[in-house]
Structure formats: C-alpha cells, structure tokens
Amino acid sequence: MSAIPLLPEVKAFLAREHGNYIDNTSVAGSGVIFEVINPATGESVATFNAASQQQAQHALDSAHKAFMTWREMPTLQRGSLLLKLADKLAEKREELAQIETLCSGKTIQLSRLLELDQSVTFLRYFAGWAGKINGETLDVSLPSFAGEKYTAFTRRQPVGVVVAIVPWNFSIMIAVWKIAAALVCGCSVVVKPSEYTPLTLLRLAELATECGFPPGVINVVNGAGSELGPVLIGHEACAKVSFTGSVATGNAVNRTATAQGKRVTLELGGKNAALFLNDLSVTEMVNGIMEAGYLNQGQICAAAECFWLPADKIDAVLAELKVRLNSTVIGSPLDETTAMGPLANLAQLEKITQLVATARDEGDEIICGGEVLSGGGYFYQPTAIRVASVDSTLMKEETFGPVGSFIAYEDAEQALQCINASPYGLAASVWSRNISLALRFSERLEAGIVWVNMHTFLDPAVPFGGSKGSGIGREFGSAFIEDYTELKSIMIRY
Ligand code: TXE
C-alpha cells in the first residue's frame, strides 16, 4: 500500500496564510511566523502568524461581548448549533483527518476514528445536555410571623469566558471536549492550540461560522503558550481555564490562574499503570499491553506506561510482546495500512531518546526497540524495557511515547501498593478473568479512571480526569456542569 492522495481542499487549505480566528474572522498575527512541521518527513507543511498580546486580548474582548448574548440564547438553539457543527465535522471528516495527520503524525485511521468520529460523538453528547442543565426547588425552613411564606430555587449559570489550552496529541478532540461543554452551558471560548498543531482548530472555527455560530463565541489564538497563556488567563474577562497538557505547564497555569481567582480544570499526564493478574494467558496479557501502551505511539495521556506482570509469566510475555512489537507496521501515517507513525514532534523524539539513554545507564534491560529509526521524520521503534527496579527513572517519568516499562511482581497486593505510591493518578487498569477480584482492585487503585480488562477508551458519559498530581476537576458525564456553571440560589418571600 502507499500514502493516500491529499484532497484538493487540503492542499488549498495548507497553501493559505494562517493565523488566528477572532470574532468569526481570520486575523493575521503579529508577524512572528511559526512553521508547522510534518513529523513524518521533518518538512514544513505550512506556516502560521502568531497572535500578538493585543490580539489575544481582543479575542477575550470578543468572547466576552459574545457571552452576553450567547448566554441569553434559548438553550435548545445552542444545542442545535452544536448538532450542526457535529454534522459539519462528519461531512468534512476526511479533510480534517488529513490535515491532522500532516501536523501530528497520527495515522490517518486514528485521525478519522478518534479525532473526527469521536469529536462528532462528543459534540452530539454535549448537545444533548441542552435544556437539561437545571437547578432545584428548595424547601425553606424560615419561621413565618405574619403569614408570609418562603421558597427558594437554584440555577446553573454559565461562568463566562473560558480559556481552553490544548495540547498536540489530540488537537481537535480535546478542544471539542472543552468547546462543546462550555458552549452548551452558555459560556463562550478562546482556544489556544498547541504550537505544533494549530491548523485543524482554525478550520473548525471557520466551519462553526458556516454553521451559524455568532461572532466571538469560538475564537482561536495561536502562538507560544508561555507568551500568550498568561495574557489570556490574566485578562479580566477570563472566568475559567480548562487546560490539558504536561504536569509542569499545568502547574504553572494553575498558579497563574488561582492567584487571580480564576477557576481551573487541569487534565495532566502522570505515569499510568496496568496490573495484569495471574489468571490470564500470556497472549491475553500481550493483547492488553498493546492496547494500553502503544496506540498513537503512546502519545495518549491516559495510556499505560508501567506494566506489572506476574513473576512466573513476565519472561514469556516479554518474548511474545517483542515479536508483536517488532512486526508492527511502521510507516507513513497517510498509508492506511500503517499501524504506527512518527512521534509528533522533534522535542518529543529528543525527550524519549534521552529517557531511554537514562534507562540504559541505570541498568534497565532493553527487550526490543530503543532506537530512532533512520530515513527522515521523527520515527522511533516501539520499545519494551524491563526495569531494574521500582526506583528506575522509567517507573516515574512520563515518556509519552511508545516505551513500555515492565516489572515483575510476586504478590499482586504489593504491586497495588507500589502503583498507589505514585504521586500521579490519571488512569490505571486491572486485567483478570476474575471480575470479582478485578473489581476489588479497581476500588483500591488510586486514579481518576480505572479500566477493567480494557484501557484508554473514553466515553462522553463517563467522567474523566486525574487524581493526585494528575489534575483538578472532571470532564464529561454530568461532572462538566460543575466546571462551567456557577450555582446561584434565589430566595423569595411571598
Ligand atoms: O506540552 P505543554 P508540550 C507532555 C508530554 C510531552 C510534554 C511536553 O510528556 O512530552 O508534555 O509537551 C500551552 N501558559 N504532554 O510542551 O507545555 C502550549 O502552547 C499557558 C502530555 O507540548 O503542556 C500548549 O497549547 N499555556 C499531555 C499547551 O500548553 C502554556 C499532552 C500544552 O503544552 C504555557 C501533551 C504557559 N506558560 C504533552 N506554556 C497530556 N497529558 O495530554 C505552554 N502552554
């Protein structure tokens, strides 16, 4: 097989001048030009003109003005606009998937199935909340002295303008989580994409305009996060920050935002674990490891990186895993038969190379992989490493790449204690045919989401977010309502 041809509209889009999208208008930036690099080739596919600080402020002003009318729009009308955007993304699925693959190196199949199809699903899910975000009527106990009565009710009111700061690993889908949740609650949004993947969200914002979203409801500001982030968060109209990204940046964002009294949702990474109980076959364990650790080259915040295996099976599991990883079809992400594309950017490749070098220095055993692939682009071999001990760097530091760390346990109870000793807790999984036992482990694993016999799958109905150092707040389910609305109480004497 070979790479699919790019659609004419993709070529035309890439050739355009890119910048920012404010008030339903494309806005050229300050003159600071960034290259968008195709990680499969290392070559530039487009450039974009980053926003100035004044333009970032203008985006907040526009969003604030839009908020005043958007919040008053009948709720079902807001919901139907979200449904229209879902239909539009479904219609433009291939165009957006190709742009995403060119910018991020994600295989075209994953761009279609996860970035686009899941974005459509999430938009439809959140649209379904329109008309259902309600308060309560309350029973008031105040005494009556002259026959007067009291009642009270609560309302869920939108918090205001949301600054959504998103990463490069799922540039459309993660932004859609935040945009759809904010908009259905009546908030407006300024999105700050990653410098590596700025294009698909510009296109999404244009498509939203075509669907009839009023000016200023969805704005996109591109540029360096360290420069624009504090400006966006510090603007008086920013009521809330919703951030997905690295632990270090997330903590910095949290400090900036909370110092100014802004609400914050953080979805950060960590070091997720998968615990395989001893009743499974070697092949079942290998299947689970492939699902949990290597999808999208491991560049998924919820992916597992530490694999706990029974001591009497670890050798057999690693032998079979080595065969599977070595036969992974690695290649152009635009080839529909490719299972693994490049890492998303050069910084990512350098970081993983460094971490694997550290693993070697510390005496960890490289079972397979561990090398950069030659031939251009940011390709890295799928890698399995048997760590020397729980103290190995690879048991603590997120690689965010196709690098699994494997460790043997004699006693599953002790493995659980070690997993829970991590300062992070975004996601974990436990694998066993004994559902009763697996559920007991799931109750005690310290993570925001625990999967049983599965890993990484997200569903809009199921809340998602980190415990401990992996985040603050929850996205999806009904939990998002808390994040994007303020609870107001109204009391009445009659
Ligand atoms: O992420 P950052 P980077 C991890 C992964 C990766 C590492 C670095 O390990 O190797 O992070 O990736 C914006 N104020 N994850 O540097 O810095 C930035 O422009 C406000 C895990 O790309 O977290 C981008 O839009 N914003 C992760 C966003 O923050 C700032 C996904 C994320 O960038 C800012 C991605 C600032 N001071 C990387 N500095 C996950 N858990 O999903 C940067 N930004």
Side-chain angles (χ1 to χ4, degrees):
M1 289 287 284
S2 56
I4 53 166
L6 293 182
L7 295 173
E9 53 268 43
V10 170
K11 290 183 189 166
F13 177 76
L14 292 175
R16 283 165 45 179
E17 308 228 313
H18 302 286
N20 310 281
Y21 200 79
I22 302 169
D23 226 15
N24 281 6
T25 310
S26 289
V27 177
S30 58
V32 176
I33 305 296
F34 284 67
E35 301 263 2
V36 182
I37 303 293
N38 177 354
T41 62
E43 290 164 6
S44 172
V45 284
T47 58
F48 74 90
N49 192 340
S52 65
Q53 298 197 352
Q54 290 73 18
Q55 286 168 328
Q57 283 167 344
H58 171 47
L60 258 299
D61 292 336
S62 293
H64 188 244
K65 189 161 161 246
F67 170 61
M68 295 304 167
T69 46
W70 180 251
R71 65 180 299 172
E72 299 301 330
M73 184 184 276
T75 321
L76 288 178
Q77 213 174 319
R78 291 203 298 259
S80 70
L81 278 170
L82 288 174
L83 289 174
K84 272 195 196 169
L85 183 58
D87 291 345
K88 186 63 94 174
L89 292 192
E91 181 194 325
K92 302 288 181 186
R93 176 186 195 243
E94 185 61 18
E95 178 193 335
L96 282 158
Q98 290 191 5
I99 299 170
E100 176 60 28
T101 288
L102 287 170
C103 299
S104 72
K106 182 175 293 118
T107 64
I108 189 67
Q109 304 286 24
L110 277 189
S111 289
R112 290 170 184 156
L113 295 170
L114 286 183
E115 288 281 16
L116 271 302
D117 294 353
Q118 279 294 85
S119 292
V120 169
T121 300
F122 274 86
L123 275 164
R124 291 189 176 136
Y125 175 82
F126 282 112
W129 275 100
K132 304 186 186 78
I133 299 172
N134 298 317
E136 307 173 281
T137 307
L138 305 166
D139 198 7
V140 176
S141 307
L142 290 174
S144 173
F145 296 105
E148 76 277 21
K149 295 185 81 178
Y150 298 89
T151 189
F153 62 93
T154 57
R155 296 175 60 89
R156 284 272 170 196
Q157 296 194 319
V159 293
V161 179
V162 173
V163 169
I165 301 175
V166 294
W168 42 259
N169 59 330
F170 284 95
S171 75
I172 315 175
M173 185 177 73
I174 293 175
V176 161
W177 295 347
K178 300 178 190 309
I179 293 170
L183 264 47
V184 77
C185 288
C187 302
S188 57
V189 186
V190 177
V191 186
K192 212 314 264 150
S194 166
E195 296 86 317
Y196 297 109
T197 50
L199 300 185
T200 39
L201 290 173
L202 288 174
R203 188 73 185 111
L204 180 142
E206 283 180 353
L207 295 172
T209 302
E210 282 179 28
C211 292
F213 279 85
V217 171
I218 302 174
N219 307 276
V220 178
V221 169
N222 276 310
S226 53
E227 191 184 325
L228 295 178
V231 177
L232 295 169
I233 298 165
H235 192 289
E236 61 183 357
C238 165
K240 179 198 165 63
V241 185
S242 181
F243 173 91
T244 298
S246 64
V247 172
T249 304
N251 287 336
V253 162
N254 190 27
R255 282 192 296 273
T256 309
T258 49
Q260 300 174 78
K262 310 287 170 85
R263 292 160 173 256
V264 186
T265 302
L266 298 177
E267 197 266 276
L268 311 178
K271 195 74 193 175
N272 306 313
L275 172 61
F276 290 83
L277 301 184
N278 207 358
D279 60 333
L280 295 175
S281 70
V282 166
T283 300
E284 284 169 328
M285 291 186 195
V286 172
N287 289 342
I289 292 164
M290 293 296 293
E291 173 182 321
Y294 294 91
L295 199 66
N296 196 32
Q297 294 76 264
Q299 300 167 129
I300 300 181
C301 47
E305 292 203 359
C306 297
F307 296 90
W308 291 80
L309 298 170
D312 60 350
K313 291 220 173 92
I314 189 167
D315 290 336
V317 170
L318 289 176
E320 191 170 323
L321 181 67
K322 180 177 177 176
V323 174
R324 291 277 286 279
L325 290 178
N326 285 343
S327 61
T328 303
V329 180
I330 303 170
S332 165
L334 282 170
D335 184 329
E336 289 172 332
T337 61
T338 293
M340 194 173 271
L343 300 177
N345 51 65
L346 183 58
Q348 194 61 17
L349 185 72
E350 288 171 350
K351 174 182 159 184
I352 287 166
T353 305
Q354 181 57 51
L355 278 167
V356 173
T358 303
R360 284 195 171 94
D361 290 347
E362 291 180 356
D364 296 343
E365 181 191 356
I366 313 290
I367 302 295
C368 63
E371 301 291 341
V372 175
L373 284 163
S374 59
Y378 310 139
F379 289 89
Y380 197 86
Q381 293 175 327
T383 300
I385 297 180
R386 185 171 183 167
V387 295
S389 81
V390 282
D391 296 323
S392 292
T393 298
L394 271 202
M395 291 299 285
K396 297 173 188 156
E397 275 200 35
E398 186 179 50
T399 68
F400 213 62
V403 181
S405 306
F406 295 84
I407 189 161
Y409 70 82
E410 296 285 350
D411 174 3
E413 189 59 38
Q414 274 173 1
L416 177 84
Q417 305 301 332
C418 289
I419 292 169
N420 284 347
S422 168
Y424 302 112
L426 179 60
S429 59
V430 55
W431 301 70
S432 171
R433 285 198 211 125
N434 183 340
I435 290 295
S436 169
L437 187 59
L439 282 176
R440 282 168 170 73
F441 273 94
S442 75
E443 287 165 13
R444 294 165 61 214
L445 278 164
E446 293 173 2
I449 186 164
V450 178
W451 288 285
V452 175
N453 295 333
M454 60 188 290
H455 199 113
T456 316
F457 287 87
L458 297 178
D459 186 280
V462 182
F464 177 62
S467 61
K468 300 197 273 188
S470 292
I472 298 172
R474 293 289 180 271
E475 303 190 88
F476 323 160
S478 58
F480 79 96
I481 296 171
E482 195 72 41
D483 280 345
Y484 292 96
T485 62
E486 178 90 47
L487 188 64
K488 177 178 280 183
S489 301
I490 296 170
M491 290 189 75
I492 305 158
R493 179 160 54 206
Y494 63 98

